[in-house]
Amino acid sequence: MLASRPAVHPVESPPEATENPRRVRMKDVQGMGGTPGGLALRVCQFVLALGALCVMSTTNDFASATAFRYLVAATGLQSLWSLALAFLDIYCLLVKRSLRNSQVLCLFAIGDGIIYTLALAAACASAGITVLLGNDLNSCGMNHCARFESATAMAFMSWFAISPSFLLNFWSLATK
Amino acid sequence: MLASRPAVHPVESPPEATENPRRVRMKDVQGMGGTPGGLALRVCQFVLALGALCVMSTTNDFASATAFRYLVAATGLQSLWSLALAFLDIYCLLVKRSLRNSQVLCLFAIGDGIIYTLALAAACASAGITVLLGNDLNSCGMNHCARFESATAMAFMSWFAISPSFLLNFWSLATK
């Protein structure tokens, strides 16, 4: 009688097929958009870029060198970009949402890449001329070498602050 | 009687758990290491960096500006790096293997990132001085402006050729 009794084995339901197995989400790394670290980086970028812009603008002869004019334009653009993204980060933190939309991430990665390249180019061009004036020609007497150097240093620090944002955005775009 | 007969339902075996669902491999994109496109990029980088190095070295006053000395050093380093990776690509193509080792990819991505930054910095610093000499000071009469401009242009093209290598290596490192 035991043999004829149907044995009931509990069968586990098969795991639900995920819609897209490649869509593995990266954890929120501090420094990415929508995190407190990301906001801190954006604020650093903004402050340093604005500092470089102000220091360079206060010299009355910056307009005589193309590289210095370009530094003013590039740091101006960078400060606007960083300020806009800082406001976006504040919004994300307030509504407790993280930036996970693919199109938005792609836009930010491309924008950060462009600003990263422009900032490095401006800082290096200014550094080339500053070093030429200060070390190679020794003509700091009739030029504002200290201010040029300060502005260049701030532009380099600002570029340094934008690097993690760019690399993290690019990384999270690649792992989407 | 029908109700007491045990009903046999075929149960599909659950899909086998993959060992590591995150390990999704990217297809070989032309331009990555170990592909013909990657080899072509490396050869371009090498030729352009070597061209910039030779043109700049043939001017007898390049050593008077720090930025030009830096351009010579950076393009020299870049040509060595590109040549080494070009040989590695040739080896990979001959034995028909692709570079998929995580550590090696990480090394190449970091190396490409460093060379990318150095090449852009050298090209921009030289461009700053070249534009200063040619446009702002109009002192091309006593300088080798044409050679400086050629070397700078080649350095920029070489940087442009290293960009896809860097971005593709970084992308494939992120998607490992």
Side-chain angles (χ1 to χ4, degrees):
Chain A
M1 290 300 283
L2 277 171
S4 71
R5 196 168 59 191
V8 178
H9 296 288
V11 176
E12 287 179 17
S13 65
E16 285 180 17
T18 50
E19 284 176 12
N20 185 353
R22 292 190 61 172
R23 207 177 182 83
V24 179
R25 289 196 163 173
M26 195 180 172
K27 276 186 237 163
D28 263 347
V29 177
Q30 284 299 321
M32 285 168 63
T35 60
L39 177 61
L41 275 176
R42 294 292 175 196
V43 171
C44 273
Q45 291 160 26
F46 171 68
V47 170
L48 290 166
L50 196 69
L53 173 67
C54 291
V55 171
M56 188 55 92
S57 312
T58 52
T59 60
N60 52 10
D61 54 352
F62 83 90
S64 58
T66 308
F68 292 154
R69 288 203 300 271
Y70 172 53
L71 183 85
V72 169
T75 49
L77 187 65
Q78 191 187 347
S79 55
L80 286 180
W81 171 262
S82 299
L83 186 67
L85 290 198
F87 277 124
L88 190 67
D89 281 348
I90 291 173
Y91 169 77
C92 285
L93 285 172
L94 286 180
V95 302
K96 295 191 169 50
R97 290 185 63 180
S98 68
L99 294 170
R100 286 301 187 188
N101 188 317
S102 237
Q103 277 90 35
V104 173
L105 259 183
C106 185
L107 180 75
F108 290 167
I110 293 174
D112 268 335
I114 292 172
I115 298 288
Y116 171 90
T117 310
L118 288 182
L120 179 62
C124 292
S126 292
I129 295 188
T130 306
V131 172
L132 183 81
L133 290 176
N135 292 18
D136 302 331
L137 302 179
N138 286 317
S139 61
C140 269
M142 57 182 188
N143 289 293
H144 304 283
C145 277
R147 286 199 205 163
F148 293 157
E149 280 163 14
S150 310
T152 305
M154 275 194 268
F156 266 114
M157 284 190 281
S158 168
W159 163 75
F160 203 72
I162 208 171
S163 313
S165 297
F166 164 56
L167 292 177
L168 282 171
N169 267 342
F170 193 72
W171 185 280
S172 58
L173 181 69
T175 50
K176 278 303 270 192
Chain B
M1 292 303 282
L2 276 171
S4 70
R5 194 167 65 190
V8 177
H9 295 288
V11 176
E12 288 179 17
S13 65
E16 285 179 19
T18 51
E19 286 176 13
N20 184 354
R22 292 191 63 172
R23 209 176 179 82
V24 179
R25 289 196 164 176
M26 196 182 172
K27 275 185 238 165
D28 263 348
V29 177
Q30 284 300 319
M32 285 168 63
T35 59
L39 177 61
L41 274 177
R42 295 289 175 198
V43 171
C44 274
Q45 291 161 25
F46 171 68
V47 170
L48 289 166
L50 197 71
L53 173 67
C54 292
V55 170
M56 188 55 90
S57 312
T58 52
T59 59
N60 52 7
D61 54 354
F62 82 91
S64 59
T66 308
F68 291 154
R69 290 204 299 271
Y70 172 53
L71 182 85
V72 168
T75 49
L77 186 66
Q78 190 188 348
S79 56
L80 287 180
W81 171 262
S82 299
L83 186 66
L85 290 198
F87 278 124
L88 190 67
D89 280 348
I90 291 172
Y91 169 77
C92 284
L93 285 172
L94 286 180
V95 301
K96 293 191 172 52
R97 289 186 62 181
S98 69
L99 293 169
R100 286 300 186 188
N101 188 318
S102 237
Q103 277 89 35
V104 173
L105 257 184
C106 186
L107 181 76
F108 290 168
I110 292 173
D112 268 336
I114 293 171
I115 299 287
Y116 171 90
T117 310
L118 288 183
L120 180 61
C124 291
S126 293
I129 295 189
T130 307
V131 171
L132 183 81
L133 291 176
N135 291 18
D136 303 330
L137 302 179
N138 287 317
S139 61
C140 269
M142 56 184 190
N143 288 293
H144 303 283
C145 276
R147 286 199 205 163
F148 293 157
E149 279 163 14
S150 310
T152 304
M154 275 194 270
F156 267 113
M157 283 190 282
S158 168
W159 164 75
F160 203 72
I162 208 172
S163 312
S165 298
F166 164 56
L167 292 176
L168 283 171
N169 267 342
F170 193 74
W171 186 280
S172 59
L173 181 69
T175 51
K176 279 302 270 191

